[in-house]
Amino acid sequence: MRSVNTQKRPHLTADLAFGILVVLIAFAIRLWDLNATSLWYDETFVLVHAREGILQAVAGLFREDNTLPLHGLLLAIWIKLAGDCEFTARYLSVLLGTIGAPLVMQVGRAVGAGLRRTADLAAGNPISGPWDRRTPVRLSPAADSAAGRPTSSPWDRRTPVRLSPAADSAAGR
C-alpha cells in the first residue's frame, strides 16, 4: 500500500494563486476598451483574407503580405466558430495573449534560475540549490579558504590533505 503525502506545500499554493492573478489581470487589461476604436489596416487586411476561407487566407497572406500567416490561419478558423465582427476578430488576440502570460512567466522563471546559477559561478560560489542536485565544484582547499568557504563540508567527501601540524596550524585547522 502506498503512503499518501498529506503535507501541504504553501509555496506552490502561493505561486499558483499569483499565477492565476497575473493571468486574470492580463485578460482584463486586454479586454479593456477592446472595441473602442475601429480596426486598423493590418487587422482589416488579415480579416479580409480570413473571411475568404482557410486556404485562401494563407495563400493571400503569403502572396500579398509576405509574412508567415499563422495569425491569419487561426483567425480564419476562429471566425468560422465565433463570427467575423470586429470584437470577435480582436478577441482571438486577447485569448492568445492571455495564454501567453503564464508561458512568459515560466520562461522568466527559467531564465531567472539560469541567471542565478551564472551569478553563483561568476562569484566563485558552489553550485547548489533546489534547481541543481549536482555536487558543488570544489577547486582546492586553499582556494576554498581564500574565498572564505570552509575547506570541508557535508557534501565534500574528500579527506583534507594534512601536510604537517605546522602547516595545519598556519592554515587555522
Side-chain angles (χ1 to χ4, degrees), residues 108-171:
R109 280 189 179 174
V111 168
L115 290 176
R116 281 192 300 272
R117 278 184 261 159
T118 303
D120 283 343
L121 286 174
N125 295 330
I127 302 171
S128 62
W131 60 83
D132 195 349
R133 297 190 178 169
R134 293 178 292 165
T135 303
V137 176
R138 309 298 253 178
L139 299 176
S140 70
D144 288 343
S145 63
R149 292 188 296 263
T151 56
S152 64
S153 61
W155 61 78
D156 189 1
R157 295 195 174 117
R158 296 177 297 165
T159 304
V161 176
R162 305 286 187 188
L163 299 175
S164 69
D168 287 344
S169 64

Side-chain angles (χ1 to χ4, degrees), residues 39-58 60-61 63-64 71-72 75-76 79-80 84-85 89:
L39 292 175
W40 289 35
Y41 174 77
D42 59 337
E43 294 171 315
T44 306
F45 185 77
V46 173
L47 184 59
V48 165
H49 285 291
R51 285 178 175 164
E52 295 174 359
I54 295 171
L55 295 177
Q56 293 82 4
V58 172
L61 289 171
R63 182 179 58 250
E64 295 177 27
H71 181 70
L75 187 61
I79 64 173
K80 296 289 185 196
D84 64 350
C85 68

